[in-house]
Amino acid sequence: MPNRRAHDHIGQFNFKVEVEGVTVGAFKNVEGLDSETEVVEYQDGDDIILRKRPGRTKYSNLTLKRGYINTDELWNWRKKVIEGKVERKSGSVILCADDGSEVMRYNFFEACLQSGRASASMQGGDVTVEEVELAIEKLERG
């Protein structure tokens, strides 16, 4: 790893996304790598303390952003959802070091491509940005 120490933070623009083992591209921004567990409150009989226990866990949608590239993989998946032919897929968000080697990964399960959008700017050096949102049912760190 040139110009990096092992404990330095990982830089930007270092995410790859695989869907069912196929790399669908590098992304500049990934959001939604989080989960939340509900708290169930209850009281036993005359107990004056309100007890709290963990309940169900839900996972945020994953939002992936990248400069537009000429590939139809994600669009074809989205098109099937629009046509009512939902294909749920598993995949990984891979955090890479500066040299492209894998540092860690988050595995997601039962994903459905919920939305897709592109935005363009007429400013000098700006690029067209493609953004997709995946509704997922589970996320774990691999």
Side-chain angles (χ1 to χ4, degrees):
M1 290 183 247
N3 299 321
R4 274 187 84 253
R5 297 169 298 195
H7 59 274
D8 284 346
H9 295 285
I10 304 299
Q12 298 177 0
F13 305 101
N14 287 314
F15 296 100
K16 286 191 285 188
V17 175
E18 290 178 353
V19 176
E20 300 209 341
V22 177
T23 301
V24 294
F27 289 81
K28 70 173 190 166
N29 189 345
V30 176
E31 297 174 4
L33 296 169
D34 55 78
S35 62
E36 181 179 337
T37 302
E38 347 177 288
V39 174
V40 177
E41 297 179 344
Y42 69 96
Q43 187 173 0
D44 282 333
D46 293 334
D47 194 350
I48 61 171
I49 297 174
L50 184 63
R51 305 292 177 176
K52 298 180 181 183
R53 298 286 183 256
R56 294 180 295 188
T57 299
K58 65 179 180 178
Y59 299 90
S60 297
N61 289 350
L62 297 180
T63 303
L64 312 170
K65 297 178 186 177
R66 68 179 175 189
Y68 178 79
I69 59 173
N70 193 15
T71 178
D72 291 339
E73 292 168 323
L74 293 174
W75 170 249
N76 289 337
W77 187 18
R78 175 73 184 128
K79 185 177 175 195
K80 287 179 183 177
V81 173
I82 293 168
E83 294 169 348
K85 303 171 191 165
V86 178
E87 282 187 14
R88 294 190 174 273
K89 299 184 179 192
S90 297
S92 301
V93 174
I94 304 162
L95 176 61
C96 300
D98 296 335
D99 64 359
S101 62
E102 182 176 322
V103 173
M104 63 172 287
R105 69 174 52 217
Y106 289 92
N107 299 316
F108 56 85
F109 303 91
E110 298 296 319
C112 173
L113 202 103
Q114 178 178 325
S115 67
R117 65 184 69 83
S119 59
S121 172
M122 301 308 266
Q123 301 297 322
D126 292 347
V127 298
T128 301
V129 175
E130 180 180 28
E131 179 179 322
V132 295
E133 187 172 352
L134 301 175
I136 64 170
E137 290 189 3
K138 185 176 179 184
L139 180 73
E140 58 187 30
R141 188 170 165 175

